[in-house]
Amino acid sequence: MPSLRPAALLVCFSLALVHFSHAQTQSGAAKSPSQPGYTIQTGARVVLTDVTVTDEKGNPVRGLPVSAFQVLDNKKQQKIDSFEEHAGTSAVTLPASSYGVFSNDYLLHLPSVLNIIVLDIANIRIADQMWLNYQLTGFLSNLPSDQPVAIYLRAGSGCFLMQNFTTDRPLLLAALHRAIPRIPPLGREYLSDQQILSQVAYTLRSLPGRKNVLWFSGGSTAYLLPNGTVFQDQAAMRAIYDSLEEERIAVYPIDARGLTVSSDVMGNLAMMGQHGAMEDVAQATGGHAFYNTNGVSLAAAHVLDTSGSFYTLTYSPSNFHVDNKCHNVRIKLDGGYHLSYRTGYFADGNNGIAQKPATPRTKLLISGDTVQDKTRHATPIIFQAAMLPTADPVLASLKADSEGLTAPPPKGGAMRYAVRYSVPIDELTAQSLNGKRTFVIGLAAVTIDRDGDVLKRQFEHVTMSFDEAYFPHRSRAPLVVDQQLNLSRTDQYLYLAVWDVHSDRFGELQMPLDLPAPRKGH
């Protein structure tokens, strides 16, 4: 079984972009993930829509031809440019990791549909968290053996990874039980849906294909306080829906409180508002909202059972104009079936419009800062990383091609460790000058506590040069680079990123800091 361990947060890589951003973006050779890709073309607005079709019993309907579908954009029938059926998730076995070695090579072995659990405890009481823990324990214990799932937690302002994609049930259950129950964050009335959806869109940007986000929450924080609500910025929400559309993310809001009955009028009004907000997100992203049900595990199982079978179609709206208005999308299908799809989009200049080129999106970071993302769809660098104490004989037995900056002396009980990066040469771009072949790699290491708060950041550049005459004899062995870190007990997770300065491509992975002890005799 795969043993991809719990992890830290993908969102933090934006911090590395600030330090490593290169002026000229070049295209680098890369291995493409096995999933099919859909490119938004320039020259016209291209709308890509994933449609799930179920019968009256909730079972997926397969084998429908393109002629059975009609697409209406603002009530005008459109010509379908491309059509593809996805008949169930493909079986997948993720690669197992070696002792103390972590990798992002799971990106090369993903199924056609990805399922992500987001535990948003901003508005879930401890008692409801315990009930949710019980429900999801049963759900994960019966998870199909060929269907990987990832688990994220929103404990504060950040949304960070507890467990990367795996089919290993004990790992998923351990991540769930580490995540909840826990005390909801202070100041949670200021945590908006806008924040978490923006983070979800950015966090999942490097994953190909359709993504289903099972968003377990206690309802929208916009209705957390009866006398002091946090109102959503509708313009900002439109931009977030654009991002979710471009990343092919469908959100399935699930009310973790189950069936709730209240005699309080204001409480009932707030509940209705929360459920309305859930419906809005689901309709805008092509998902489905679940509330007023004690079967939250059944809701999750239903999403996994039905969302793997869907139809992907694209069309270019006729007489399209950038007018910053909402376009309503309606898909008609005879037969009394139930359809789930994105019900609209905004003609705001994003997503491949030639008349008004899209600008880089501004992303909200966990630190509260913002950064513009220019390389969202670049193929990620696949690499490995191992963490060992600097005195470990494994490090001494294999000389690195280069070493990063020397870390300062550890303080306050911290210990010095080394991250050993192993990056395949064909993942990088070299420059030849004066008889030398030179690689320049950026390294980012961010340590995070149990609540997702950033504790330390370390960024550096490493340059490696090889004689042109020697390089062909070096074989195709990966480049090995060491980075020194000082770590303490409060450091629970580690986020790592590799940045190819010559091509602007990057790769990222996360690992827990359950560090192995040094092994003798290796």
Side-chain angles (χ1 to χ4, degrees):
M1 298 294 291
S3 57
L4 296 174
R5 299 291 184 98
L9 82 167
L10 287 163
V11 175
C12 284
F13 183 73
S14 304
L15 302 171
L17 294 181
V18 176
H19 291 260
F20 297 148
S21 183
H22 189 57
Q24 298 294 328
T25 301
Q26 304 171 3
S27 61
K31 298 175 181 178
S32 298
S34 57
Q35 291 185 323
Y38 297 88
T39 302
I40 303 297
Q41 304 291 335
T42 59
R45 177 49 151 104
V46 177
V47 180
L48 183 150
T49 301
D50 290 328
V51 185
T52 59
V53 183
T54 54
D55 59 20
E56 67 278 1
K57 296 182 179 180
N59 299 315
V61 177
R62 302 186 177 96
L64 296 173
V66 62
S67 58
F69 292 82
Q70 295 183 54
V71 179
L72 301 178
D73 189 304
N74 279 350
K75 299 182 179 181
K76 296 181 180 179
Q77 187 161 340
Q78 305 293 320
K79 175 181 175 295
I80 298 176
D81 295 326
S82 68
F83 179 85
E84 182 178 0
E85 178 182 0
H86 306 267
T89 56
S90 56
V92 61
T93 301
L94 298 182
S97 59
S98 304
Y99 172 81
V101 178
F102 298 84
S103 175
N104 61 347
D105 59 357
Y106 69 92
L107 292 170
L108 303 175
H109 305 274
L110 293 175
S112 58
V113 178
L114 300 176
N115 294 296
I116 301 101
I117 292 174
V118 175
L119 304 172
D120 179 4
I121 66 169
N123 199 14
I124 309 180
R125 300 175 304 170
I126 290 290
D128 291 328
Q129 288 185 45
M130 294 176 68
W131 170 248
L132 178 61
N133 190 313
Y134 169 76
Q135 289 273 301
L136 290 184
T137 295
F139 166 69
L140 294 175
S141 297
N142 295 286
L143 189 71
S145 59
D146 60 351
Q147 200 165 76
V149 172
I151 299 178
Y152 286 79
L153 171 68
R154 188 210 203 183
S157 60
C159 181
F160 67 105
L161 187 61
M162 297 295 295
Q163 170 59 55
N164 216 330
F165 289 98
T166 185
T167 57
D168 191 317
R169 295 173 185 172
L171 287 179
L172 291 168
L173 289 170
L176 169 67
H177 299 156
R178 278 196 312 276
I180 55 175
R182 67 171 68 194
I183 298 175
L186 297 175
R188 59 190 184 277
E189 62 268 23
Y190 301 106
L191 302 177
S192 68
D193 295 350
Q194 173 186 335
Q195 287 175 317
I196 187 170
L197 290 175
S198 178
Q199 291 177 0
V200 166
Y202 188 78
T203 298
L204 303 180
R205 73 202 182 281
S206 62
L207 300 176
R210 176 182 169 94
K211 280 82 68 176
N212 298 321
V213 174
L214 284 68
W215 180 16
F216 292 91
S217 73
S220 171
T221 50
Y223 301 90
L224 185 61
L225 297 178
N227 59 349
T229 60
V230 178
F231 294 99
Q232 304 284 6
D233 183 338
Q234 294 303 315
M237 289 299 291
R238 287 197 296 269
I240 292 170
Y241 290 148
D242 276 346
S243 296
L244 293 170
E245 176 194 3
E246 191 164 355
E247 306 301 343
R248 297 182 67 195
I249 297 173
V251 181
Y252 293 80
I254 302 175
D255 193 336
R257 296 167 296 185
L259 180 61
T260 303
V261 179
S262 175
S263 59
D264 178 51
V265 175
M266 294 301 295
N268 284 330
L269 289 176
M271 184 73 69
M272 291 174 61
Q274 290 174 336
H275 292 163
M278 291 173 136
E279 290 286 358
D280 289 344
V281 172
Q283 291 181 15
T285 63
H288 182 80
F290 298 87
Y291 48 84
N292 282 336
T293 174
N294 287 329
V296 295
S297 61
L298 295 178
H302 176 75
V303 173
L304 267 65
D305 289 343
T306 61
S307 60
S309 297
F310 62 97
Y311 301 85
T312 297
L313 58 88
T314 65
Y315 69 94
S316 297
S318 56
N319 299 320
F320 180 83
H321 300 286
V322 178
D323 53 13
N324 292 313
K325 294 182 180 179
C326 177
H327 280 232
N328 295 315
V329 176
R330 184 184 178 192
I331 299 179
K332 298 174 64 176
L333 184 66
D334 294 333
Y337 301 124
H338 176 75
L339 280 65
S340 294
Y341 56 92
R342 304 183 195 280
T343 57
Y345 65 91
F346 295 93
D348 55 3
N350 286 308
N351 297 340
I353 301 171
Q355 297 95 324
K356 182 179 178 183
T359 57
R361 297 193 187 278
T362 299
K363 300 301 178 181
L364 176 68
L365 309 184
I366 190 172
S367 62
D369 300 327
T370 58
V371 65
Q372 287 191 336
D373 172 22
K374 300 178 182 179
T375 57
R376 180 170 58 252
H377 291 299
T379 305
I381 294 175
I382 304 300
F383 69 101
Q384 291 184 343
M387 173 161 289
L388 296 169
T390 53
D392 195 296
V394 173
L395 287 174
S397 65
L398 177 62
K399 181 176 176 56
D401 292 299
S402 182
E403 294 184 359
L405 301 176
T406 301
K411 296 180 180 180
M415 293 182 61
R416 179 169 295 177
Y417 288 83
V419 179
R420 171 148 286 182
Y421 299 86
S422 179
V423 186
I425 290 179
D426 56 5
E427 292 283 333
L428 302 172
T429 302
Q431 287 190 344
S432 297
L433 184 65
N434 298 327
K436 297 281 189 179
R437 188 169 300 192
T438 302
F439 300 86
V440 183
I441 301 176
L443 304 176
V446 180
T447 55
I448 303 157
D449 67 12
R450 68 183 298 271
D451 294 321
D453 293 327
V454 176
L455 300 177
K456 294 185 289 290
R457 305 177 179 92
Q458 185 168 319
F459 307 97
E460 56 192 276
H461 283 122
V462 175
T463 300
M464 291 163 285
S465 295
F466 304 91
D467 290 334
E468 287 284 5
Y470 160 75
F471 191 78
H473 303 286
R474 190 188 178 279
S475 75
R476 306 306 297 173
L479 295 180
V480 179
V481 184
D482 288 344
Q483 182 182 29
Q484 294 186 18
L485 303 175
N486 293 328
L487 302 175
S488 57
R489 293 181 179 179
T490 56
D491 301 330
Q492 296 289 311
Y493 303 98
L494 183 65
Y495 166 86
L496 301 174
V498 170
W499 180 270
D500 183 1
V501 174
H502 290 155
S503 69
D504 269 4
R505 287 181 57 228
F506 67 88
E508 54 195 351
L509 64 82
Q510 311 80 42
M511 65 173 68
L513 289 179
D514 51 352
L515 302 172
R519 295 178 297 171
K520 297 180 180 180
H522 290 269

